[in-house]
PDB file of all heavy atoms in Angstrom:
ATOM      1  N   ASN A 200     -13.088  -7.984 -12.687  1.00 97.00           N
ATOM      2  CA  ASN A 200     -14.147  -8.606 -11.739  1.00 97.00           C
ATOM      3  C   ASN A 200     -15.388  -7.888 -11.825  1.00 97.00           C
ATOM      4  O   ASN A 200     -15.433  -6.806 -12.531  1.00 97.00           O
ATOM      5  CB  ASN A 200     -13.482  -8.512 -10.234  1.00 97.00           C
ATOM      6  CG  ASN A 200     -14.361  -9.362  -9.303  1.00 97.00           C
ATOM      7  OD1 ASN A 200     -14.949 -10.510  -9.735  1.00 97.00           O
ATOM      8  ND2 ASN A 200     -14.492  -8.940  -8.073  1.00 97.00           N
ATOM      9  N   PHE A 202     -19.730  -7.607  -9.854  1.00 98.00           N
ATOM     10  CA  PHE A 202     -20.539  -7.968  -8.771  1.00 98.00           C
ATOM     11  C   PHE A 202     -21.981  -7.455  -9.062  1.00 98.00           C
ATOM     12  O   PHE A 202     -22.119  -6.437  -9.765  1.00 98.00           O
ATOM     13  CB  PHE A 202     -20.021  -7.414  -7.442  1.00 98.00           C
ATOM     14  CG  PHE A 202     -20.022  -5.885  -7.351  1.00 98.00           C
ATOM     15  CD1 PHE A 202     -20.976  -5.353  -6.441  1.00 98.00           C
ATOM     16  CD2 PHE A 202     -19.091  -5.188  -7.893  1.00 98.00           C
ATOM     17  CE1 PHE A 202     -21.128  -4.023  -6.268  1.00 98.00           C
ATOM     18  CE2 PHE A 202     -19.163  -3.753  -7.665  1.00 98.00           C
ATOM     19  CZ  PHE A 202     -20.114  -3.175  -6.865  1.00 98.00           C
ATOM     20  N   GLY A 203     -22.817  -8.293  -8.564  1.00 98.00           N
ATOM     21  CA  GLY A 203     -24.318  -7.899  -8.805  1.00 98.00           C
ATOM     22  C   GLY A 203     -24.615  -6.839  -7.739  1.00 98.00           C
ATOM     23  O   GLY A 203     -24.319  -6.895  -6.628  1.00 98.00           O
ATOM     24  N   ALA A 204     -25.331  -5.746  -8.311  1.00 98.00           N
ATOM     25  CA  ALA A 204     -25.622  -4.501  -7.429  1.00 98.00           C
ATOM     26  C   ALA A 204     -26.879  -3.894  -7.759  1.00 98.00           C
ATOM     27  O   ALA A 204     -27.310  -3.822  -9.001  1.00 98.00           O
ATOM     28  CB  ALA A 204     -24.441  -3.621  -7.594  1.00 98.00           C
ATOM     29  N   ASN A 205     -27.634  -3.473  -6.752  1.00 98.00           N
ATOM     30  CA  ASN A 205     -28.839  -2.679  -6.912  1.00 98.00           C
ATOM     31  C   ASN A 205     -28.557  -1.188  -6.465  1.00 98.00           C
ATOM     32  O   ASN A 205     -29.279  -0.244  -6.658  1.00 98.00           O
ATOM     33  CB  ASN A 205     -29.990  -3.191  -6.275  1.00 98.00           C
ATOM     34  CG  ASN A 205     -30.028  -3.496  -4.862  1.00 98.00           C
ATOM     35  OD1 ASN A 205     -30.042  -4.659  -4.483  1.00 98.00           O
ATOM     36  ND2 ASN A 205     -29.971  -2.406  -4.098  1.00 98.00           N
ATOM     37  N   PHE A 206     -27.416  -0.955  -5.573  1.00 98.00           N
ATOM     38  CA  PHE A 206     -27.132   0.344  -5.152  1.00 98.00           C
ATOM     39  C   PHE A 206     -26.560   1.193  -6.410  1.00 98.00           C
ATOM     40  O   PHE A 206     -25.388   1.347  -6.337  1.00 98.00           O
ATOM     41  CB  PHE A 206     -26.366   0.436  -4.010  1.00 98.00           C
ATOM     42  CG  PHE A 206     -26.962  -0.044  -2.643  1.00 98.00           C
ATOM     43  CD1 PHE A 206     -25.953  -0.372  -1.635  1.00 98.00           C
ATOM     44  CD2 PHE A 206     -28.268  -0.241  -2.527  1.00 98.00           C
ATOM     45  CE1 PHE A 206     -26.635  -0.879  -0.462  1.00 98.00           C
ATOM     46  CE2 PHE A 206     -28.724  -0.626  -1.324  1.00 98.00           C
ATOM     47  CZ  PHE A 206     -28.040  -0.931  -0.224  1.00 98.00           C
ATOM     48  N   ALA A 220     -22.834   2.083  -4.836  1.00 98.00           N
ATOM     49  CA  ALA A 220     -22.199   1.786  -3.379  1.00 98.00           C
ATOM     50  C   ALA A 220     -21.686   0.425  -3.404  1.00 98.00           C
ATOM     51  O   ALA A 220     -22.350  -0.548  -3.764  1.00 98.00           O
ATOM     52  CB  ALA A 220     -23.301   1.936  -2.284  1.00 98.00           C
ATOM     53  N   ALA A 221     -20.453   0.223  -3.001  1.00 98.00           N
ATOM     54  CA  ALA A 221     -19.666  -1.084  -2.955  1.00 98.00           C
ATOM     55  C   ALA A 221     -19.387  -1.447  -1.522  1.00 98.00           C
ATOM     56  O   ALA A 221     -18.784  -0.525  -0.842  1.00 98.00           O
ATOM     57  CB  ALA A 221     -18.573  -1.049  -3.824  1.00 98.00           C
ATOM     58  N   LYS A 222     -19.713  -2.623  -1.218  1.00 98.00           N
ATOM     59  CA  LYS A 222     -19.471  -3.116   0.229  1.00 98.00           C
ATOM     60  C   LYS A 222     -17.969  -2.920   0.608  1.00 98.00           C
ATOM     61  O   LYS A 222     -17.180  -3.623  -0.171  1.00 98.00           O
ATOM     62  CB  LYS A 222     -19.943  -4.553   0.351  1.00 98.00           C
ATOM     63  CG  LYS A 222     -20.112  -5.036   1.719  1.00 98.00           C
ATOM     64  CD  LYS A 222     -20.742  -6.475   1.649  1.00 98.00           C
ATOM     65  CE  LYS A 222     -20.704  -7.223   2.825  1.00 98.00           C
ATOM     66  NZ  LYS A 222     -21.237  -8.526   2.799  1.00 98.00           N
ATOM     67  N   ALA A 226     -13.560  -7.440  -3.122  1.00 96.00           N
ATOM     68  CA  ALA A 226     -12.434  -7.129  -4.131  1.00 96.00           C
ATOM     69  C   ALA A 226     -12.893  -6.127  -4.976  1.00 96.00           C
ATOM     70  O   ALA A 226     -12.112  -5.264  -5.486  1.00 96.00           O
ATOM     71  CB  ALA A 226     -12.187  -8.462  -4.875  1.00 96.00           C
ATOM     72  N   SER A 227     -14.207  -5.990  -5.205  1.00 97.00           N
ATOM     73  CA  SER A 227     -14.852  -5.014  -6.096  1.00 97.00           C
ATOM     74  C   SER A 227     -14.608  -3.614  -5.470  1.00 97.00           C
ATOM     75  O   SER A 227     -14.219  -2.677  -6.282  1.00 97.00           O
ATOM     76  CB  SER A 227     -16.232  -5.255  -6.250  1.00 97.00           C
ATOM     77  OG  SER A 227     -16.531  -6.544  -6.868  1.00 97.00           O
ATOM     78  N   PHE A 254     -22.889 -12.697  -7.667  1.00 98.00           N
ATOM     79  CA  PHE A 254     -23.192 -12.366  -6.251  1.00 98.00           C
ATOM     80  C   PHE A 254     -22.097 -12.930  -5.226  1.00 98.00           C
ATOM     81  O   PHE A 254     -21.973 -12.414  -4.147  1.00 98.00           O
ATOM     82  CB  PHE A 254     -24.570 -12.882  -5.831  1.00 98.00           C
ATOM     83  CG  PHE A 254     -25.712 -12.116  -6.345  1.00 98.00           C
ATOM     84  CD1 PHE A 254     -26.937 -12.682  -6.723  1.00 98.00           C
ATOM     85  CD2 PHE A 254     -25.683 -10.714  -6.473  1.00 98.00           C
ATOM     86  CE1 PHE A 254     -27.949 -12.099  -7.315  1.00 98.00           C
ATOM     87  CE2 PHE A 254     -26.749  -9.988  -6.974  1.00 98.00           C
ATOM     88  CZ  PHE A 254     -27.885 -10.662  -7.341  1.00 98.00           C
ATOM     89  N   LYS A 255     -21.535 -13.992  -5.684  1.00 95.00           N
ATOM     90  CA  LYS A 255     -20.501 -14.604  -4.780  1.00 95.00           C
ATOM     91  C   LYS A 255     -19.086 -13.852  -4.797  1.00 95.00           C
ATOM     92  O   LYS A 255     -18.719 -13.467  -5.792  1.00 95.00           O
ATOM     93  CB  LYS A 255     -20.262 -16.043  -5.150  1.00 95.00           C
ATOM     94  CG  LYS A 255     -21.589 -16.850  -4.946  1.00 95.00           C
ATOM     95  CD  LYS A 255     -21.260 -18.280  -4.589  1.00 95.00           C
ATOM     96  CE  LYS A 255     -22.548 -18.999  -4.395  1.00 95.00           C
ATOM     97  NZ  LYS A 255     -23.008 -19.811  -5.511  1.00 95.00           N
ATOM     98  N   PRO A 256     -18.433 -13.872  -3.674  1.00 94.00           N
ATOM     99  CA  PRO A 256     -17.121 -13.189  -3.588  1.00 94.00           C
ATOM    100  C   PRO A 256     -16.092 -13.863  -4.470  1.00 94.00           C
ATOM    101  O   PRO A 256     -16.039 -15.079  -4.542  1.00 94.00           O
ATOM    102  CB  PRO A 256     -16.738 -13.332  -2.114  1.00 94.00           C
ATOM    103  CG  PRO A 256     -17.780 -13.733  -1.418  1.00 94.00           C
ATOM    104  CD  PRO A 256     -18.841 -14.395  -2.418  1.00 94.00           C
ATOM    105  N   VAL A 257     -15.381 -13.023  -5.151  1.00 93.00           N
ATOM    106  CA  VAL A 257     -14.282 -13.667  -6.191  1.00 93.00           C
ATOM    107  C   VAL A 257     -13.247 -14.501  -5.325  1.00 93.00           C
ATOM    108  O   VAL A 257     -12.723 -15.332  -5.808  1.00 93.00           O
ATOM    109  CB  VAL A 257     -13.699 -12.549  -7.092  1.00 93.00           C
ATOM    110  CG1 VAL A 257     -12.930 -11.520  -6.150  1.00 93.00           C
ATOM    111  CG2 VAL A 257     -12.790 -13.147  -8.083  1.00 93.00           C
ATOM    112  N   LYS A 263     -15.522 -15.290 -12.012  1.00 95.00           N
ATOM    113  CA  LYS A 263     -16.915 -15.347 -12.099  1.00 95.00           C
ATOM    114  C   LYS A 263     -17.497 -15.394 -13.408  1.00 95.00           C
ATOM    115  O   LYS A 263     -18.695 -15.685 -13.725  1.00 95.00           O
ATOM    116  CB  LYS A 263     -17.602 -14.288 -11.291  1.00 95.00           C
ATOM    117  CG  LYS A 263     -17.378 -14.325  -9.739  1.00 95.00           C
ATOM    118  CD  LYS A 263     -18.234 -13.132  -9.133  1.00 95.00           C
ATOM    119  CE  LYS A 263     -17.359 -12.343  -8.117  1.00 95.00           C
ATOM    120  NZ  LYS A 263     -18.106 -11.178  -7.472  1.00 95.00           N
ATOM    121  N   TYR A 327     -31.784  -6.331  -1.124  1.00 98.00           N
ATOM    122  CA  TYR A 327     -30.516  -5.735  -0.697  1.00 98.00           C
ATOM    123  C   TYR A 327     -30.778  -4.401  -0.377  1.00 98.00           C
ATOM    124  O   TYR A 327     -30.635  -3.427  -1.143  1.00 98.00           O
ATOM    125  CB  TYR A 327     -29.401  -5.966  -1.764  1.00 98.00           C
ATOM    126  CG  TYR A 327     -27.922  -5.762  -1.231  1.00 98.00           C
ATOM    127  CD1 TYR A 327     -27.322  -6.787  -0.664  1.00 98.00           C
ATOM    128  CD2 TYR A 327     -27.202  -4.499  -1.377  1.00 98.00           C
ATOM    129  CE1 TYR A 327     -25.856  -6.714  -0.261  1.00 98.00           C
ATOM    130  CE2 TYR A 327     -25.981  -4.404  -1.015  1.00 98.00           C
ATOM    131  CZ  TYR A 327     -25.290  -5.494  -0.396  1.00 98.00           C
ATOM    132  OH  TYR A 327     -24.048  -5.337   0.010  1.00 98.00           O
TER     133      TYR A 327
HETATM  134  C1  LIG B  65     -29.736  -8.640  -4.705  1.00 55.65           C
HETATM  135  C2  LIG B  65     -28.352  -8.203  -4.403  1.00 55.65           C
HETATM  136  C3  LIG B  65     -27.828  -6.975  -4.589  1.00 55.65           C
HETATM  137  C4  LIG B  65     -26.610  -6.588  -4.149  1.00 55.65           C
HETATM  138  N1  LIG B  65     -26.319  -5.275  -4.321  1.00 55.65           N
HETATM  139  C5  LIG B  65     -25.159  -4.901  -3.909  1.00 55.65           C
HETATM  140  C6  LIG B  65     -24.681  -3.521  -4.004  1.00 55.65           C
HETATM  141  O1  LIG B  65     -25.352  -2.658  -4.493  1.00 55.65           O
HETATM  142  N2  LIG B  65     -23.429  -3.174  -3.657  1.00 55.65           N
HETATM  143  C7  LIG B  65     -22.614  -4.136  -3.058  1.00 55.65           C
HETATM  144  O2  LIG B  65     -21.427  -3.776  -2.726  1.00 55.65           O
HETATM  145  N3  LIG B  65     -22.880  -5.418  -3.039  1.00 55.65           N
HETATM  146  C8  LIG B  65     -24.047  -5.751  -3.339  1.00 55.65           C
HETATM  147  N4  LIG B  65     -24.392  -7.163  -3.426  1.00 55.65           N
HETATM  148  C9  LIG B  65     -23.467  -8.022  -2.841  1.00 55.65           C
HETATM  149  C10 LIG B  65     -22.352  -8.403  -3.774  1.00 55.65           C
HETATM  150  O3  LIG B  65     -22.801  -8.831  -5.166  1.00 55.65           O
HETATM  151  C11 LIG B  65     -21.357  -9.352  -3.198  1.00 55.65           C
HETATM  152  O4  LIG B  65     -20.761  -8.828  -2.029  1.00 55.65           O
HETATM  153  C12 LIG B  65     -20.220  -9.791  -4.110  1.00 55.65           C
HETATM  154  O5  LIG B  65     -19.737 -10.999  -3.524  1.00 55.65           O
HETATM  155  C13 LIG B  65     -19.091  -8.954  -4.283  1.00 55.65           C
HETATM  156  O6  LIG B  65     -18.103  -9.454  -5.086  1.00 55.65           O
HETATM  157  P1  LIG B  65     -16.511  -9.477  -4.978  1.00 55.65           P
HETATM  158  O7  LIG B  65     -16.252 -10.113  -3.456  1.00 55.65           O
HETATM  159  O8  LIG B  65     -15.992 -10.388  -6.079  1.00 55.65           O
HETATM  160  O9  LIG B  65     -16.096  -8.006  -5.089  1.00 55.65           O
HETATM  161  C14 LIG B  65     -25.694  -7.523  -3.700  1.00 55.65           C
HETATM  162  C15 LIG B  65     -26.094  -8.858  -3.502  1.00 55.65           C
HETATM  163  C16 LIG B  65     -27.452  -9.218  -3.787  1.00 55.65           C
HETATM  164  C17 LIG B  65     -27.850 -10.639  -3.622  1.00 55.65           C
END
Side-chain angles (χ1 to χ4, degrees):
N200 188 31
F202 66 108
N205 60 247
F206 288 167
K222 191 174 170 189
S227 299
F254 287 142
K255 295 212 175 94
V257 67
K263 294 184 229 178
Y327 192 83

